[in-house]
């Protein structure tokens, strides 16, 4: 607020949190701060030193001139002069808005001015208009609704019903005048409705109630819905009910129940799981084996009346709903699905068949789900696949072994054999013998190193039979940080991980740990001089599988120069750190053994990104 007689410079007011404007006795704008300009959508040049009448709708201009004459007739130095009114304004684009102005008269060194605080009421006016329109729309919606809507008095007298109610039950306005709501309720529903009516009188809403109306022609109309009371001073004066006609669905369920009774004795003893649902996925019947499998997999008991998809979670729930929706269009859906027991995560496999259940008139009245345990067959397929993978891996090992023998064992062996031959000469001096022995020792050491590396490579294939398990990635990162804490602190390295899209991987823990620690220590080892290493590790759900992305800010690799050799054995690209060129080869070997793929992107002196992708 501005105190009378106090004038703050326009520059300060321009940054005020409210919209302010000021005019002189002629109606010329001398100040219009940033928020006020935002309301009109104009610039400072558009409005300063312009008459404010230019920004008013034509119908307000006469009133504006009278306001100037009246307002500035007061002596601001003797009395507080204020003015508050709701008026229209014009935006720079010609759009009319409604604002509220609170004006105070002030004497300044530059003359008498009126300073106003402006509040944009356009949205409130729109809301008032929208409220009136919505009330009219609500009336039209009630009359046009497909639901049976009724308003009932405290004694059960019918106060109002919509067109759908009258059309469904066949009663006219003249009929309704003499009817009590209990006159149109079937005998078996009356006691239930009386109980619910008592609850309404106490101010309780009644939800998901089911009842049977009797139409004028005697037809039974099944309905379900909700009722809410209207209370005045603690007493119910009326209740509003909203009901759906479920006669077709109810009759369909009755037909389904009859069909179920004829086959119940057959499928209860079957080793194939059966489940029947109505068109809302509500469970109608199931056999013993199906109940057992659902309990094993979800830990929940299968019960009549529940919505079957609610027992499932995540991707399986979405897959089931999608299949059910297609079945309701008349399609037959078949697929194989993996599962596991709820308690011990034992792997299971099922063949699923989902089919529409049809009425005698060929309309779809429900869904049948057939489930066959194919775990043994699937395990045999997976074992065959595993054997094939192991054979492929052994072939790769043999190829790698042949490479090492031909390239890495031959050289030191040749040196040893050559030195041994020379030492057989009788005229060789002691100093030459010493040099030759040193050479033999050096070559033997290289030979031993190669054998050790070969053992590490072959170890990959030996450990392939290790049991896979659920590995929590964030926990593994924490364990690695602890194990190499001295290295992290020494190099001031940061390791940032994000596994919000997936934090658990079913894999060989030892391999994954080796992959992680190799890539992390490589990023620290090949850091840029005088730049602290920053390593980010992110898990991503790709839709078809899961990827892990390692990125660092290190010295990078010239991928154009070394494109085909990055994951090769004994390949090194920098001499700034010790190494044999075995790490990335082992990483690639282990990733591929786990059924994944690894790629690299790198830029010299910018950093390197490794992406590991595991298919679903």
């Amino acid at each position: 607020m501005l105190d009378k007689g106090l004038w703050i410079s326009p520059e300060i007011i321009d940054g005020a949190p409210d919209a302010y404007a000021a005019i002189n006795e002629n109606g010329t704008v001398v100040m219009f701060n940033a928020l006020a300009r935002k309301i009109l959508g104009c610039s400072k040049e558009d409005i300063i030193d312009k008459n404010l009448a230019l920004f008013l709708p034509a119908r307000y201009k006469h009133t504006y001139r009278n306001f100037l004459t009246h307002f500035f007739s007061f002596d601001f130095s003797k009395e507080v002069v204020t003015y508050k009114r709701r008026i229209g304004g014009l935006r720079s684009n010609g759009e009319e808005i409604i604002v509220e102005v609170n004006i105070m008269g002030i004497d300044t060194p530059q003359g008498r001015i009126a300073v106003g605080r402006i509040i944009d009421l356009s949205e409130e006016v729109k809301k008032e208009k929208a409220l009136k329109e919505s009330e009219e729309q609500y009336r039209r919606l009630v009359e046009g609704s497909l639901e049976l809507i009724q308003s009932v008095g405290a004694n059960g007298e019918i106060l109002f019903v919509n067109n759908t109610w009258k059309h469904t039950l066949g009663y006219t306005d003249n009929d309704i005048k003499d009817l009590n709501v209990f006159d149109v309720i079937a005998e078996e529903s009356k006691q239930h409705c009386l109980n619910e009516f008592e609850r309404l009188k106490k101010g309780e809403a009644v939800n998901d109630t089911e009842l049977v109306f009797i139409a004028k022609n005697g037809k039974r109309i099944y309905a379900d819905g909700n009722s809410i009371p209207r209370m005045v001073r603690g007493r119910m004066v009326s209740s509003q009910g909203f009901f759906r006609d479920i006669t077709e669905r109810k009759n369909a369920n009755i037909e389904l129940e009859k069909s179920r009774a004829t086959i119940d004795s057959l499928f209860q003893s079957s080793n194939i799981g059966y489940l029947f649902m109505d068109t809302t996925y509500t469970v109608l019947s199931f056999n013993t084996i199906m109940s057992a499998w659902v309990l094993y997999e979800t830990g929940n008991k299968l019960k009549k009346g529940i919505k079957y998809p609610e027992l499932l979670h995540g991707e399986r729930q979405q897959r089931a709903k999608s299949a059910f929706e297609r079945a309701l269009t008349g399609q037959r859906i078949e697929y194989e699905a993996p599962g596991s027991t709820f308690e011990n995560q034992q792997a299971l496999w099922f063949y699923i068949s989902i089919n529409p259940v049809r009425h005698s008139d060929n309309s779809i009245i429900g869904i049948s789900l057939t489930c066959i345990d194919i775990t043994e067959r699937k395990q045999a397929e997976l074992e065959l696949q595993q054997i094939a993978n192991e054979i492929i891996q052994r072939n790769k090992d043999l190829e790698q072994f042949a490479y090492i023998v031909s390239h890495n064992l031959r050289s030191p062996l040749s040196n040893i054999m050559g030195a041994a031959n020379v030492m057989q000469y009788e005229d060789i001096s002691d100093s030459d013998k010493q040099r030759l022995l040193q050479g033999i020792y050096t070559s033997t050491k290289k030979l031993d190193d190669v054998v050790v590396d070969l053992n590490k490579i072959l170890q990959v294939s030996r450990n392939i039979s290790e049991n896979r398990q659920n590995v929590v990635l964030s926990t593994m990162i924490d364990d690695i940080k602890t194990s190499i804490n001295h290295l992290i602190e020494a190099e001031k390295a940061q390791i940032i991980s994000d596994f919000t899209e997936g934090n658990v991987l079913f894999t060989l823990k030892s391999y994954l740990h080796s992959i992680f620690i190799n890539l992390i220590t490589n990023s620290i080892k090949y850091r840029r001089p005088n730049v602290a290493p920053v390593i980010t590790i992110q898990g991503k759900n790709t839709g078809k599988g899961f990827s892990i992305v390692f990125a660092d800010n290190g010295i990078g690799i010239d991928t154009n120069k070394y494109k085909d050799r990055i994951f090769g054995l004994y390949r090194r690209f920098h001499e700034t750190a010790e190494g044999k060129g075995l790490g990335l080869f082992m990483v690639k070997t282990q990733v591929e053994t786990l059924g994944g793929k690894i790629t690299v992107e790198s830029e010299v002196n910018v950093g390197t990104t490794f992406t590991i992708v595991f298919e679903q």
Side-chain angles (χ1 to χ4, degrees):
M1 294 294 293
L2 297 172
D3 294 331
K4 181 179 176 183
L6 175 63
W7 173 244
I8 302 174
S9 70
E11 291 78 9
I12 296 176
I13 294 180
D14 200 48
D18 294 314
Y20 285 100
I23 57 173
N24 60 21
E25 294 180 74
N26 298 322
T28 301
V29 177
V30 297
M31 185 273 292
F32 215 79
N33 78 343
L35 282 180
R37 296 195 297 273
K38 184 177 180 181
I39 291 174
L40 290 189
C42 64
S43 65
K44 198 172 185 180
E45 292 73 17
D46 291 336
I47 196 164
I48 298 299
D49 295 330
K50 304 291 192 308
N51 196 290
L52 188 61
L54 296 173
F55 298 88
L56 300 176
R59 64 182 182 279
Y60 287 103
K61 292 187 178 180
H62 178 73
T63 304
Y64 178 60
R65 287 193 293 271
N66 290 340
F67 160 75
L68 290 174
T69 302
H70 176 73
F71 192 84
F72 284 101
S73 66
F74 293 96
D75 186 348
F76 298 159
S77 64
K78 292 183 179 180
E79 58 183 313
V80 175
V81 182
T82 60
Y83 178 88
K84 179 178 180 180
R85 188 166 181 177
R86 180 183 290 195
I87 63 171
L90 289 176
R91 296 189 192 275
S92 59
N93 61 3
E95 177 189 357
E96 186 171 326
I97 61 172
I98 301 297
V99 298
E100 181 181 280
V101 292
N102 295 271
I103 302 173
M104 175 184 288
I106 298 177
D107 286 323
T108 74
Q110 290 77 28
R112 288 151 55 79
I113 63 171
V115 176
R117 180 172 175 264
I118 304 170
I119 301 173
D120 186 358
L121 300 178
S122 301
E123 290 302 318
E124 290 185 21
V125 172
K126 288 179 181 178
K127 288 178 181 177
E128 290 173 2
K129 182 180 179 182
L131 180 60
K132 292 179 181 178
E133 292 176 352
S134 68
E135 289 174 351
E136 177 61 25
Q137 288 176 354
Y138 178 73
R139 185 189 67 78
R140 292 198 297 267
L141 283 172
V142 168
E143 286 299 346
S145 174
L146 297 177
E147 290 187 321
L148 286 70
I149 300 176
Q150 63 184 33
S151 179
V152 176
N155 296 316
E157 64 275 21
I158 297 176
L159 304 177
F160 166 82
V161 293
N162 70 340
N163 289 330
T164 302
W165 194 100
K166 288 182 281 189
H167 175 76
T168 303
L169 299 181
Y171 295 102
T172 66
D173 289 332
N174 286 333
D175 296 329
I176 293 167
K177 287 189 299 184
D178 300 322
L179 285 176
N180 186 284
V181 70
F182 293 101
D183 295 333
V184 296
I185 300 296
E187 193 63 36
E188 69 266 29
S189 290
K190 280 187 179 179
Q191 187 58 52
H192 172 70
C193 289
L194 284 169
N195 295 338
E196 301 289 39
F197 204 66
E198 290 301 316
R199 290 178 57 195
L200 290 169
K201 286 183 176 181
K202 295 177 182 179
E204 299 178 30
V206 175
N207 298 318
D208 299 324
T209 189
E210 190 171 306
L211 53 85
V212 183
F213 288 106
I214 296 296
K216 188 175 181 179
N217 62 5
K219 182 181 178 182
R220 303 167 68 79
I221 304 297
Y222 294 89
D224 70 0
N226 310 312
S227 295
I228 55 175
R230 179 171 175 265
M231 309 296 289
V232 175
R233 290 189 292 275
R235 293 181 64 252
M236 186 191 82
V237 296
S238 66
S239 69
Q240 283 69 48
F242 305 84
F243 297 95
R244 295 171 295 277
D245 180 358
I246 61 169
T247 304
E248 288 187 11
R249 193 180 86 195
K250 194 71 176 179
N251 288 335
N253 287 348
I254 292 172
E255 289 293 326
L256 277 176
E257 286 294 334
K258 290 179 180 178
S259 298
R260 183 199 64 79
T262 62
I263 63 172
D264 186 66
S265 60
L266 293 175
F267 75 64
Q268 283 297 342
S269 59
S270 174
N271 61 355
I272 300 175
Y274 292 101
L275 170 67
F276 292 93
M277 297 170 280
D278 65 14
T279 54
T280 67
Y281 316 148
T282 300
V283 175
L284 301 177
S285 64
F286 51 88
N287 66 350
T288 304
I289 191 68
M290 189 70 184
S291 175
W293 285 339
V294 170
L295 180 62
Y296 290 160
E297 287 206 82
T298 69
N300 298 312
K301 290 184 177 180
L302 198 54
K303 299 177 182 178
K304 294 181 182 180
I306 65 173
K307 306 285 188 183
Y308 179 67
E310 294 178 0
L311 298 179
L312 309 176
H313 301 284
E315 182 183 347
R316 294 184 64 188
Q317 185 184 72
Q318 295 303 316
R319 182 176 60 195
K321 284 184 176 180
S322 175
F324 296 161
E325 288 170 3
R326 290 162 57 199
L328 290 178
T329 67
Q331 297 183 55
R332 175 187 175 95
I333 297 93
E334 300 178 57
Y335 59 89
E336 293 180 355
S340 58
T341 60
F342 178 72
E343 294 180 348
N344 58 18
Q345 297 296 306
Q346 177 185 350
L348 301 172
W349 278 91
F350 297 100
Y351 166 79
I352 309 293
S353 177
I354 300 170
N355 298 278
V357 177
R358 297 183 182 275
H359 191 261
S360 56
D361 63 1
N362 208 38
S363 62
I364 296 174
I365 59 175
I367 299 170
S368 71
L369 187 152
T370 305
C371 185
I372 302 174
D373 186 352
I374 58 169
T375 303
E376 289 187 11
R377 175 172 68 79
K378 201 66 181 179
Q379 284 178 342
E381 290 178 6
L382 294 175
E383 287 173 4
L384 285 174
Q385 183 62 50
Q386 182 178 356
I387 291 170
N389 290 338
E390 289 182 1
I391 290 172
I392 293 170
Q393 184 62 41
R394 289 179 186 276
N395 285 338
K396 289 182 179 179
D397 293 341
L398 289 173
E399 290 174 3
Q400 193 61 50
F401 180 78
Y403 173 87
I404 294 172
V405 170
S406 61
H407 292 79
N408 299 95
L409 293 180
R410 187 172 183 179
S411 177
L413 279 173
S414 297
N415 290 338
I416 293 170
M417 290 173 65
N421 285 334
V422 173
M423 287 185 66
Q424 293 178 14
Y425 299 156
E426 295 182 357
D427 56 347
I428 190 171
S429 65
D430 291 340
S431 59
D432 288 338
K433 283 184 179 181
Q434 188 62 38
R435 283 195 300 273
L436 289 170
L437 285 172
Q438 183 60 42
I440 291 173
Y441 174 78
T442 301
S443 296
T444 303
K445 182 64 170 68
K446 288 181 180 179
L447 187 61
D448 182 64
D449 289 342
V450 172
V451 171
V452 170
D453 292 343
L454 180 60
N455 186 58
K456 290 180 181 178
I457 295 168
L458 294 178
Q459 192 69 31
V460 173
S461 61
R462 293 194 197 102
N463 292 340
I464 191 63
S465 59
E466 177 185 337
N467 288 331
R468 294 178 182 246
Q469 60 183 296
N470 283 327
V471 179
V472 181
L473 302 181
S474 57
T475 301
M476 177 172 284
I477 291 295
D478 291 339
D479 292 343
I480 291 173
K481 284 181 180 179
T482 302
S483 67
I484 61 169
N485 184 58
H486 64 289
L487 182 60
I488 293 173
E489 290 186 353
E491 303 301 340
K492 297 181 173 59
Q494 293 185 59
I495 300 176
I496 304 166
S497 58
D498 176 10
F499 296 111
T500 53
E501 290 189 29
N503 193 28
V504 178
L505 203 59
F506 188 67
T507 187
L508 301 183
K509 184 175 181 180
S510 60
Y511 279 19
L512 196 64
H513 186 279
S514 176
I515 293 165
F516 272 53
I517 200 164
N518 257 311
L519 293 177
I520 290 171
T521 54
N522 263 15
S523 293
I524 297 174
K525 184 188 298 184
Y526 296 106
R527 64 196 176 280
R528 274 186 284 163
N530 303 319
V531 177
V534 177
I535 306 162
T536 61
I537 307 168
Q538 186 178 19
K540 293 184 178 181
N541 192 336
T542 64
K544 294 183 179 180
F546 188 74
S547 68
I548 305 172
V549 180
F550 291 79
D552 65 38
N553 62 340
I555 56 179
I557 303 170
D558 187 343
T559 52
N560 292 326
K561 183 178 180 181
Y562 301 113
K563 181 178 180 180
D564 300 324
R565 292 182 284 168
I566 292 177
F567 294 104
L569 183 63
Y570 298 133
R571 299 296 185 183
R572 299 192 62 216
F573 313 107
H574 303 289
E575 300 300 328
T576 56
E578 293 183 0
K580 297 189 295 182
L582 185 63
L584 290 183
F585 172 82
M586 290 295 295
V587 166
K588 183 174 185 293
T589 302
Q590 289 173 323
V591 167
E592 290 178 349
T593 301
L594 296 178
K597 295 180 181 178
I598 184 168
T599 57
V600 60
E601 295 179 6
S602 187
E603 187 175 343
V604 176
N605 290 324
V606 174
T608 302
T609 299
F610 290 97
T611 302
I612 300 172
V613 178
F614 295 106
E615 294 295 334
Q616 185 69 35

